């Protein structure tokens, strides 16, 4: 079901979404410091871009409470069909939800994996 699903407290959790993809200019690069993102496309298809954090310009500084920073810049774009995932580490800016054409609905699960879990 859509929403947040706890796997191991705040160490590992999943967020399931079902929404249309967006035009490239309506998306942004982002990165996280506390979590690795495993983004798995359940149904549909979307494009995702990634780039080293050091190669993009900070657009909105890191927000510790939300664990996110936003960037502008360019990166390599990948087409991610259903049954495929991409893994994004804190050193990588990623730009998900890009339409490959037609802004069709994509169901996806993002598994957030804490970089250093609580003991």
């Amino acid at each position: 079901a859509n929403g947040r699903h706890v796997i191991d407290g705040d160490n590992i959790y999943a967020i399931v979404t079902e929404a249309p993809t967006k035009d490239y200019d309506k998306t942004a690069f982002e990165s996280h410091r506390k979590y690795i993102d495993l983004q798995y496309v359940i149904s549909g298809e979307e494009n995702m871009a990634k780039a080293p954090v050091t190669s993009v310009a900070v657009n909105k500084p890191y927000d510790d409470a939300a664990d996110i920073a936003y960037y502008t810049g360019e990166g390599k774009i990948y087409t991610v069909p259903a049954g495929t995932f991409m893994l994004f580490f804190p050193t990588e800016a990623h730009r998900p939800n890009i339409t490959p054409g037609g802004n069709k609905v994509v169901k996806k699960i993002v598994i957030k994996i804490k970089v250093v879990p609580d003991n």
Side-chain angles (χ1 to χ4, degrees):
N2 289 341
R4 183 180 165 135
H5 302 272
V6 175
I7 298 169
D8 180 19
D10 284 336
N11 292 325
I12 304 172
Y13 63 92
I15 302 167
V16 177
T17 59
E18 196 165 1
T21 54
K22 301 174 185 173
D23 292 338
Y24 185 83
D25 63 344
K26 302 281 192 231
T27 65
F29 276 105
E30 62 185 57
S31 73
H32 314 287
R33 293 182 186 171
K34 299 176 187 176
Y35 289 91
I36 296 164
D37 272 10
L38 187 155
Q39 298 200 14
Y40 177 82
V41 176
I42 297 167
S43 64
E45 177 179 81
E46 75 177 62
N47 287 343
M48 297 182 197
K50 76 176 189 174
V53 168
T54 56
S55 74
V56 289
V58 174
N59 186 32
K60 187 174 176 188
Y62 180 74
D63 177 336
D64 186 64
D67 186 39
I68 197 163
Y70 292 98
Y71 306 86
T72 58
E74 299 299 320
K76 182 167 173 60
I77 297 175
Y78 300 87
T79 299
V80 186
T84 306
F85 72 89
M86 289 194 71
L87 196 59
F88 302 108
F89 291 90
T91 57
E92 298 171 313
H94 53 286
R95 189 173 191 153
N97 307 323
I98 304 166
T99 186
N103 297 65
K104 296 176 184 165
V105 172
V106 170
K107 184 165 189 172
K108 136 172 123 168
I109 183 168
V110 177
I111 300 174
K112 305 290 280 184
I113 305 160
K114 198 170 208 179
V115 176
V116 179
D118 294 333
N119 291 327

